[in-house]
């Protein structure tokens, strides 16, 4: 079975695609998502082999979502778009495949046949954003998008990965690895990333150090990361 996820902010579009896919015995739809935040959570949890991804979605686009995925769990990506010229120019040579809305059943079968023949993830580095502009977050049952420029620090614990701004904390399904590679955040501890813009002062201690952010929060610094941080600010 090929596990699949449908991501589209339009309910009718999701249901229509699900109906077409249901006619294929080897395609298992493990979930449907209406936005990128839900999608990130489900991709991380379910690790589908294939996703059908709408490009034009509010808040976080399909293209931005790709840049948030951990390369180790990158599924095959089939873009779904209503814009013919845009799809052909931007995705024909980079995505695993693309489908135009309304979806043609024969064209869908061609895509599925390609998936069946090639079960290796398709590299999407050519189109995936190299830097994240927004972080998909949640607090309780509220989903929200936090601009990366508002983030003071990020940390992980047994409860997951947490994003701290000067006003509040939220949770995210992004990994520290992805955040370190695709954001301005710097590693200051095995479990912490810090925004350079948020650093008010660094107190040097025997075991490393402690950062005070502009909002007054305290962030630990491991000894191994103290020297690189000091170099960033021209202290060494």
């Amino acid at each position: 079975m090929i596990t699949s996820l449908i991501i589209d902010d339009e309910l009718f579009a999701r249901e229509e695609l699900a109906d077409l896919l249901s006619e294929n015995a080897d395609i298992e739809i493990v979930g449907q998502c209406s936005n990128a935040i839900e999608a990130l959570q489900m991709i991380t949890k379910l690790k589908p082999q294939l996703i059908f991804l709408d490009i034009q979605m509010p808040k976080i686009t399909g293209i931005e979502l790709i840049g948030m995925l951990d390369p180790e769990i990158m599924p095959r990506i089939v873009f779904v778009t209503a814009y013919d010229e845009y799809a052909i120019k931007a995705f024909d040579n980079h995505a695993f495949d693309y489908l135009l809305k309304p979806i043609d059943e024969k064209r869908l079968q061609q895509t599925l046949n390609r998936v069946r023949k090639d079960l290796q993830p398709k590299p999407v580095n050519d189109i995936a954003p190299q830097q994240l502009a927004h972080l998909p977050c949640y607090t309780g049952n509220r989903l929200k998008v936090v601009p990366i420029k508002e983030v003071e620090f990020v940390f992980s614990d047994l409860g997951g990965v947490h994003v701290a701004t000067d006003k509040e904390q939220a949770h995210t399904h992004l990994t520290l690895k992805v955040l370190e590679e695709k954001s301005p955040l710097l590693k200051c501890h095995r479990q912490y990333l810090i925004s350079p813009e948020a650093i008010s002062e660094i107190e040097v201690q025997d075991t490393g150090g402690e950062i005070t952010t502009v909002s007054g929060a305290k962030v630990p610094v491991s000894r191994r990361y103290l020297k690189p941080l000091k170099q960033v600010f021209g202290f060494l």
Side-chain angles (χ1 to χ4, degrees), residues 79-145:
F79 286 108
V80 182
T81 179
Y83 301 97
D84 190 346
E85 183 178 358
Y86 185 57
I88 292 174
K89 287 184 177 180
F91 308 115
D92 194 26
N93 295 322
H94 302 300
F96 187 85
D97 207 345
Y98 70 89
L99 296 170
L100 298 176
K101 296 180 180 180
I103 295 174
D104 178 77
E105 187 172 357
K106 290 183 178 180
R107 181 67 177 83
L108 174 60
Q109 289 304 317
Q110 292 176 1
T111 295
L112 294 179
N113 286 335
R114 288 191 62 197
V115 172
R116 293 179 180 111
K117 292 178 181 179
D118 182 6
L119 295 181
Q120 297 300 315
K122 186 73 172 181
V124 291
N125 291 336
D126 291 337
I127 57 173
Q130 297 303 305
Q131 290 288 304
L132 302 178
H134 305 88
L135 303 185
C137 299
Y138 63 96
T139 53
N141 60 357
R142 290 191 304 120
L143 304 178
K144 63 184 304 178
V145 177

Side-chain angles (χ1 to χ4, degrees), residues 7-9 14 33-40 57-60 65 143:
I7 307 166
D8 197 310
D9 61 311
R14 295 198 306 272
C33 306
S34 61
N35 59 67
I37 300 177
E38 293 177 354
L40 182 62
M57 293 191 296
K59 298 291 185 179
I60 296 177
L65 172 61
L143 304 178

